[in-house]
Amino acid sequence: QVQLVESGGGSVQSGESLRLSCAVSGNTYSRYCLGWFRQPPETKREAVAAIDSDGATSYGDSVKGRFTVSRDNDKNTLYLQMNSLNSEDTAQYYCAVRTEYTRSWSDSSDFGYWGQGTQVTVSS
């Protein structure tokens, strides 16, 4: 069983930064592609970023150049560094483990394990 626990969310002002962490249990952590998704209020969940087991990264268009995804395989932890935050980044953020490869990294249905989420609120 894989379990994920996010942390690092909070309330910040526009232009500030936050770093989210996701602790992943399970001794097969290093094999998985890991992703970050977010869900603003009354909006469908959207892909933010993903990182493969070999370190290759992918980003959603709205966060390219501002967010950086990384992983520490020794600590079984996934990170999301978020810079230049704006009000449109306000959302519940989730980390997830990709267990299927039938669609794409940006399709949440390819991800089988999810954390409980952490809230990020950006005030302008």
PDB file of all heavy atoms in Angstrom, residues 36-60:
ATOM      1  N   TRP A  36       2.036  16.320  -9.355  1.00  0.00           N
ATOM      2  CA  TRP A  36       1.288  17.305  -8.568  1.00  0.00           C
ATOM      3  C   TRP A  36       0.092  17.753  -9.392  1.00  0.00           C
ATOM      4  O   TRP A  36       0.225  18.067 -10.585  1.00  0.00           O
ATOM      5  CB  TRP A  36       2.141  18.527  -8.239  1.00  0.00           C
ATOM      6  CG  TRP A  36       3.189  18.316  -7.207  1.00  0.00           C
ATOM      7  CD1 TRP A  36       4.521  18.099  -7.407  1.00  0.00           C
ATOM      8  CD2 TRP A  36       3.004  18.319  -5.783  1.00  0.00           C
ATOM      9  NE1 TRP A  36       5.169  17.958  -6.215  1.00  0.00           N
ATOM     10  CE2 TRP A  36       4.261  18.101  -5.193  1.00  0.00           C
ATOM     11  CE3 TRP A  36       1.888  18.505  -4.941  1.00  0.00           C
ATOM     12  CZ2 TRP A  36       4.456  18.037  -3.812  1.00  0.00           C
ATOM     13  CZ3 TRP A  36       2.076  18.437  -3.571  1.00  0.00           C
ATOM     14  CH2 TRP A  36       3.338  18.215  -3.021  1.00  0.00           C
ATOM     15  N   PHE A  37      -1.051  17.798  -8.740  1.00  0.00           N
ATOM     16  CA  PHE A  37      -2.276  18.312  -9.333  1.00  0.00           C
ATOM     17  C   PHE A  37      -2.848  19.370  -8.401  1.00  0.00           C
ATOM     18  O   PHE A  37      -2.491  19.418  -7.232  1.00  0.00           O
ATOM     19  CB  PHE A  37      -3.303  17.184  -9.531  1.00  0.00           C
ATOM     20  CG  PHE A  37      -2.924  16.202 -10.604  1.00  0.00           C
ATOM     21  CD1 PHE A  37      -1.979  15.214 -10.350  1.00  0.00           C
ATOM     22  CD2 PHE A  37      -3.515  16.247 -11.852  1.00  0.00           C
ATOM     23  CE1 PHE A  37      -1.614  14.304 -11.344  1.00  0.00           C
ATOM     24  CE2 PHE A  37      -3.174  15.337 -12.852  1.00  0.00           C
ATOM     25  CZ  PHE A  37      -2.216  14.372 -12.589  1.00  0.00           C
ATOM     26  N   ARG A  38      -3.736  20.180  -8.931  1.00  0.00           N
ATOM     27  CA  ARG A  38      -4.401  21.161  -8.074  1.00  0.00           C
ATOM     28  C   ARG A  38      -5.853  21.306  -8.502  1.00  0.00           C
ATOM     29  O   ARG A  38      -6.203  21.043  -9.654  1.00  0.00           O
ATOM     30  CB  ARG A  38      -3.703  22.515  -8.127  1.00  0.00           C
ATOM     31  CG  ARG A  38      -3.765  23.222  -9.473  1.00  0.00           C
ATOM     32  CD  ARG A  38      -2.914  24.488  -9.434  1.00  0.00           C
ATOM     33  NE  ARG A  38      -2.990  25.232 -10.694  1.00  0.00           N
ATOM     34  CZ  ARG A  38      -2.263  26.313 -10.950  1.00  0.00           C
ATOM     35  NH1 ARG A  38      -1.401  26.773 -10.034  1.00  0.00           N
ATOM     36  NH2 ARG A  38      -2.387  26.934 -12.109  1.00  0.00           N
ATOM     37  N   GLN A  39      -6.656  21.737  -7.543  1.00  0.00           N
ATOM     38  CA  GLN A  39      -8.074  21.933  -7.808  1.00  0.00           C
ATOM     39  C   GLN A  39      -8.537  23.225  -7.163  1.00  0.00           C
ATOM     40  O   GLN A  39      -8.725  23.273  -5.934  1.00  0.00           O
ATOM     41  CB  GLN A  39      -8.892  20.745  -7.303  1.00  0.00           C
ATOM     42  CG  GLN A  39     -10.345  20.808  -7.710  1.00  0.00           C
ATOM     43  CD  GLN A  39     -11.042  19.472  -7.543  1.00  0.00           C
ATOM     44  OE1 GLN A  39     -10.562  18.572  -6.849  1.00  0.00           O
ATOM     45  NE2 GLN A  39     -12.191  19.324  -8.184  1.00  0.00           N
ATOM     46  N   PRO A  40      -8.710  24.260  -7.981  1.00  0.00           N
ATOM     47  CA  PRO A  40      -9.277  25.507  -7.452  1.00  0.00           C
ATOM     48  C   PRO A  40     -10.739  25.292  -7.075  1.00  0.00           C
ATOM     49  O   PRO A  40     -11.363  24.319  -7.518  1.00  0.00           O
ATOM     50  CB  PRO A  40      -9.135  26.482  -8.626  1.00  0.00           C
ATOM     51  CG  PRO A  40      -8.144  25.853  -9.557  1.00  0.00           C
ATOM     52  CD  PRO A  40      -8.315  24.369  -9.385  1.00  0.00           C
ATOM     53  N   PRO A  41     -11.307  26.205  -6.310  1.00  0.00           N
ATOM     54  CA  PRO A  41     -12.715  26.064  -5.919  1.00  0.00           C
ATOM     55  C   PRO A  41     -13.641  25.982  -7.127  1.00  0.00           C
ATOM     56  O   PRO A  41     -13.490  26.744  -8.085  1.00  0.00           O
ATOM     57  CB  PRO A  41     -12.975  27.335  -5.107  1.00  0.00           C
ATOM     58  CG  PRO A  41     -11.634  27.761  -4.641  1.00  0.00           C
ATOM     59  CD  PRO A  41     -10.669  27.365  -5.721  1.00  0.00           C
ATOM     60  N   GLU A  42     -14.530  25.031  -7.112  1.00  0.00           N
ATOM     61  CA  GLU A  42     -15.560  24.864  -8.146  1.00  0.00           C
ATOM     62  C   GLU A  42     -14.975  24.706  -9.533  1.00  0.00           C
ATOM     63  O   GLU A  42     -15.581  25.105 -10.533  1.00  0.00           O
ATOM     64  CB  GLU A  42     -16.543  26.041  -8.096  1.00  0.00           C
ATOM     65  CG  GLU A  42     -17.226  26.169  -6.742  1.00  0.00           C
ATOM     66  CD  GLU A  42     -18.196  27.326  -6.700  1.00  0.00           C
ATOM     67  OE1 GLU A  42     -18.368  28.012  -7.726  1.00  0.00           O
ATOM     68  OE2 GLU A  42     -18.798  27.561  -5.630  1.00  0.00           O
ATOM     69  N   THR A  43     -13.795  24.121  -9.613  1.00  0.00           N
ATOM     70  CA  THR A  43     -13.113  23.893 -10.882  1.00  0.00           C
ATOM     71  C   THR A  43     -12.569  22.475 -10.891  1.00  0.00           C
ATOM     72  O   THR A  43     -12.259  21.920  -9.839  1.00  0.00           O
ATOM     73  CB  THR A  43     -11.956  24.893 -11.070  1.00  0.00           C
ATOM     74  OG1 THR A  43     -12.458  26.218 -10.901  1.00  0.00           O
ATOM     75  CG2 THR A  43     -11.328  24.769 -12.441  1.00  0.00           C
ATOM     76  N   LYS A  44     -12.441  21.897 -12.073  1.00  0.00           N
ATOM     77  CA  LYS A  44     -11.937  20.536 -12.145  1.00  0.00           C
ATOM     78  C   LYS A  44     -10.448  20.512 -11.833  1.00  0.00           C
ATOM     79  O   LYS A  44      -9.737  21.502 -11.963  1.00  0.00           O
ATOM     80  CB  LYS A  44     -12.200  19.920 -13.512  1.00  0.00           C
ATOM     81  CG  LYS A  44     -11.434  20.556 -14.659  1.00  0.00           C
ATOM     82  CD  LYS A  44     -11.723  19.840 -15.960  1.00  0.00           C
ATOM     83  CE  LYS A  44     -10.922  20.431 -17.107  1.00  0.00           C
ATOM     84  NZ  LYS A  44     -11.175  19.721 -18.386  1.00  0.00           N
ATOM     85  N   ARG A  45      -9.979  19.327 -11.423  1.00  0.00           N
ATOM     86  CA  ARG A  45      -8.589  19.149 -11.084  1.00  0.00           C
ATOM     87  C   ARG A  45      -7.720  19.306 -12.325  1.00  0.00           C
ATOM     88  O   ARG A  45      -8.060  18.817 -13.403  1.00  0.00           O
ATOM     89  CB  ARG A  45      -8.401  17.771 -10.462  1.00  0.00           C
ATOM     90  CG  ARG A  45      -7.078  17.529  -9.815  1.00  0.00           C
ATOM     91  CD  ARG A  45      -7.096  16.233  -9.029  1.00  0.00           C
ATOM     92  NE  ARG A  45      -8.003  16.298  -7.895  1.00  0.00           N
ATOM     93  CZ  ARG A  45      -8.126  15.360  -6.967  1.00  0.00           C
ATOM     94  NH1 ARG A  45      -7.385  14.266  -7.066  1.00  0.00           N
ATOM     95  NH2 ARG A  45      -8.969  15.487  -5.968  1.00  0.00           N
ATOM     96  N   GLU A  46      -6.567  19.971 -12.164  1.00  0.00           N
ATOM     97  CA  GLU A  46      -5.663  20.162 -13.282  1.00  0.00           C
ATOM     98  C   GLU A  46      -4.250  19.724 -12.922  1.00  0.00           C
ATOM     99  O   GLU A  46      -3.843  19.792 -11.761  1.00  0.00           O
ATOM    100  CB  GLU A  46      -5.646  21.628 -13.743  1.00  0.00           C
ATOM    101  CG  GLU A  46      -5.094  22.593 -12.732  1.00  0.00           C
ATOM    102  CD  GLU A  46      -4.890  23.986 -13.311  1.00  0.00           C
ATOM    103  OE1 GLU A  46      -4.746  24.118 -14.537  1.00  0.00           O
ATOM    104  OE2 GLU A  46      -4.851  24.940 -12.508  1.00  0.00           O
ATOM    105  N   ALA A  47      -3.524  19.285 -13.940  1.00  0.00           N
ATOM    106  CA  ALA A  47      -2.149  18.840 -13.743  1.00  0.00           C
ATOM    107  C   ALA A  47      -1.229  20.035 -13.583  1.00  0.00           C
ATOM    108  O   ALA A  47      -1.351  21.031 -14.307  1.00  0.00           O
ATOM    109  CB  ALA A  47      -1.712  17.984 -14.921  1.00  0.00           C
ATOM    110  N   VAL A  48      -0.310  19.927 -12.644  1.00  0.00           N
ATOM    111  CA  VAL A  48       0.662  20.990 -12.403  1.00  0.00           C
ATOM    112  C   VAL A  48       2.038  20.579 -12.921  1.00  0.00           C
ATOM    113  O   VAL A  48       2.662  21.291 -13.709  1.00  0.00           O
ATOM    114  CB  VAL A  48       0.729  21.317 -10.906  1.00  0.00           C
ATOM    115  CG1 VAL A  48       1.829  22.330 -10.631  1.00  0.00           C
ATOM    116  CG2 VAL A  48      -0.616  21.816 -10.402  1.00  0.00           C
ATOM    117  N   ALA A  49       2.524  19.428 -12.455  1.00  0.00           N
ATOM    118  CA  ALA A  49       3.860  18.977 -12.834  1.00  0.00           C
ATOM    119  C   ALA A  49       3.983  17.492 -12.525  1.00  0.00           C
ATOM    120  O   ALA A  49       3.220  16.943 -11.738  1.00  0.00           O
ATOM    121  CB  ALA A  49       4.929  19.753 -12.079  1.00  0.00           C
ATOM    122  N   ALA A  50       4.973  16.882 -13.159  1.00  0.00           N
ATOM    123  CA  ALA A  50       5.272  15.482 -12.884  1.00  0.00           C
ATOM    124  C   ALA A  50       6.755  15.253 -13.063  1.00  0.00           C
ATOM    125  O   ALA A  50       7.432  15.991 -13.805  1.00  0.00           O
ATOM    126  CB  ALA A  50       4.479  14.568 -13.804  1.00  0.00           C
ATOM    127  N   ILE A  51       7.244  14.225 -12.379  1.00  0.00           N
ATOM    128  CA  ILE A  51       8.652  13.871 -12.500  1.00  0.00           C
ATOM    129  C   ILE A  51       8.765  12.355 -12.574  1.00  0.00           C
ATOM    130  O   ILE A  51       8.210  11.637 -11.741  1.00  0.00           O
ATOM    131  CB  ILE A  51       9.475  14.458 -11.324  1.00  0.00           C
ATOM    132  CG1 ILE A  51      10.952  14.140 -11.497  1.00  0.00           C
ATOM    133  CG2 ILE A  51       8.951  14.000  -9.973  1.00  0.00           C
ATOM    134  CD1 ILE A  51      11.854  14.958 -10.570  1.00  0.00           C
ATOM    135  N   ASP A  52       9.467  11.879 -13.602  1.00  0.00           N
ATOM    136  CA  ASP A  52       9.638  10.453 -13.808  1.00  0.00           C
ATOM    137  C   ASP A  52      10.712   9.905 -12.874  1.00  0.00           C
ATOM    138  O   ASP A  52      11.433  10.660 -12.208  1.00  0.00           O
ATOM    139  CB  ASP A  52      10.026  10.177 -15.256  1.00  0.00           C
ATOM    140  CG  ASP A  52       8.866  10.350 -16.203  1.00  0.00           C
ATOM    141  OD1 ASP A  52       7.722  10.106 -15.778  1.00  0.00           O
ATOM    142  OD2 ASP A  52       9.093  10.753 -17.355  1.00  0.00           O
ATOM    143  N   SER A  53      10.824   8.584 -12.882  1.00  0.00           N
ATOM    144  CA  SER A  53      11.828   7.940 -12.034  1.00  0.00           C
ATOM    145  C   SER A  53      13.250   8.324 -12.450  1.00  0.00           C
ATOM    146  O   SER A  53      14.158   8.307 -11.610  1.00  0.00           O
ATOM    147  CB  SER A  53      11.660   6.425 -12.096  1.00  0.00           C
ATOM    148  OG  SER A  53      11.761   5.971 -13.434  1.00  0.00           O
ATOM    149  N   ASP A  54      13.429   8.704 -13.714  1.00  0.00           N
ATOM    150  CA  ASP A  54      14.763   9.104 -14.172  1.00  0.00           C
ATOM    151  C   ASP A  54      15.013  10.603 -14.027  1.00  0.00           C
ATOM    152  O   ASP A  54      16.058  11.101 -14.428  1.00  0.00           O
ATOM    153  CB  ASP A  54      14.961   8.705 -15.641  1.00  0.00           C
ATOM    154  CG  ASP A  54      14.000   9.422 -16.578  1.00  0.00           C
ATOM    155  OD1 ASP A  54      13.142  10.190 -16.082  1.00  0.00           O
ATOM    156  OD2 ASP A  54      14.082   9.204 -17.792  1.00  0.00           O
ATOM    157  N   GLY A  55      14.040  11.309 -13.440  1.00  0.00           N
ATOM    158  CA  GLY A  55      14.205  12.734 -13.210  1.00  0.00           C
ATOM    159  C   GLY A  55      13.647  13.637 -14.286  1.00  0.00           C
ATOM    160  O   GLY A  55      13.674  14.865 -14.121  1.00  0.00           O
ATOM    161  N   ALA A  56      13.133  13.071 -15.372  1.00  0.00           N
ATOM    162  CA  ALA A  56      12.537  13.892 -16.414  1.00  0.00           C
ATOM    163  C   ALA A  56      11.276  14.572 -15.886  1.00  0.00           C
ATOM    164  O   ALA A  56      10.481  13.946 -15.180  1.00  0.00           O
ATOM    165  CB  ALA A  56      12.194  13.038 -17.626  1.00  0.00           C
ATOM    166  N   THR A  57      11.111  15.845 -16.220  1.00  0.00           N
ATOM    167  CA  THR A  57      10.000  16.622 -15.678  1.00  0.00           C
ATOM    168  C   THR A  57       9.055  17.118 -16.769  1.00  0.00           C
ATOM    169  O   THR A  57       9.450  17.291 -17.931  1.00  0.00           O
ATOM    170  CB  THR A  57      10.511  17.828 -14.896  1.00  0.00           C
ATOM    171  OG1 THR A  57      11.345  18.627 -15.750  1.00  0.00           O
ATOM    172  CG2 THR A  57      11.316  17.387 -13.686  1.00  0.00           C
ATOM    173  N   SER A  58       7.823  17.348 -16.364  1.00  0.00           N
ATOM    174  CA  SER A  58       6.798  17.922 -17.236  1.00  0.00           C
ATOM    175  C   SER A  58       6.029  18.958 -16.435  1.00  0.00           C
ATOM    176  O   SER A  58       5.845  18.783 -15.221  1.00  0.00           O
ATOM    177  CB  SER A  58       5.829  16.847 -17.730  1.00  0.00           C
ATOM    178  OG  SER A  58       6.505  15.820 -18.432  1.00  0.00           O
ATOM    179  N   TYR A  59       5.555  20.004 -17.116  1.00  0.00           N
ATOM    180  CA  TYR A  59       4.851  21.079 -16.436  1.00  0.00           C
ATOM    181  C   TYR A  59       3.618  21.516 -17.223  1.00  0.00           C
ATOM    182  O   TYR A  59       3.596  21.496 -18.455  1.00  0.00           O
ATOM    183  CB  TYR A  59       5.753  22.298 -16.267  1.00  0.00           C
ATOM    184  CG  TYR A  59       6.923  22.065 -15.350  1.00  0.00           C
ATOM    185  CD1 TYR A  59       8.151  21.674 -15.847  1.00  0.00           C
ATOM    186  CD2 TYR A  59       6.788  22.227 -13.972  1.00  0.00           C
ATOM    187  CE1 TYR A  59       9.225  21.440 -15.019  1.00  0.00           C
ATOM    188  CE2 TYR A  59       7.866  22.004 -13.122  1.00  0.00           C
ATOM    189  CZ  TYR A  59       9.068  21.612 -13.650  1.00  0.00           C
ATOM    190  OH  TYR A  59      10.129  21.380 -12.817  1.00  0.00           O
ATOM    191  N   GLY A  60       2.612  21.949 -16.476  1.00  0.00           N
ATOM    192  CA  GLY A  60       1.474  22.571 -17.095  1.00  0.00           C
ATOM    193  C   GLY A  60       1.855  23.949 -17.603  1.00  0.00           C
ATOM    194  O   GLY A  60       2.743  24.610 -17.053  1.00  0.00           O
TER     195      GLY A  60
END
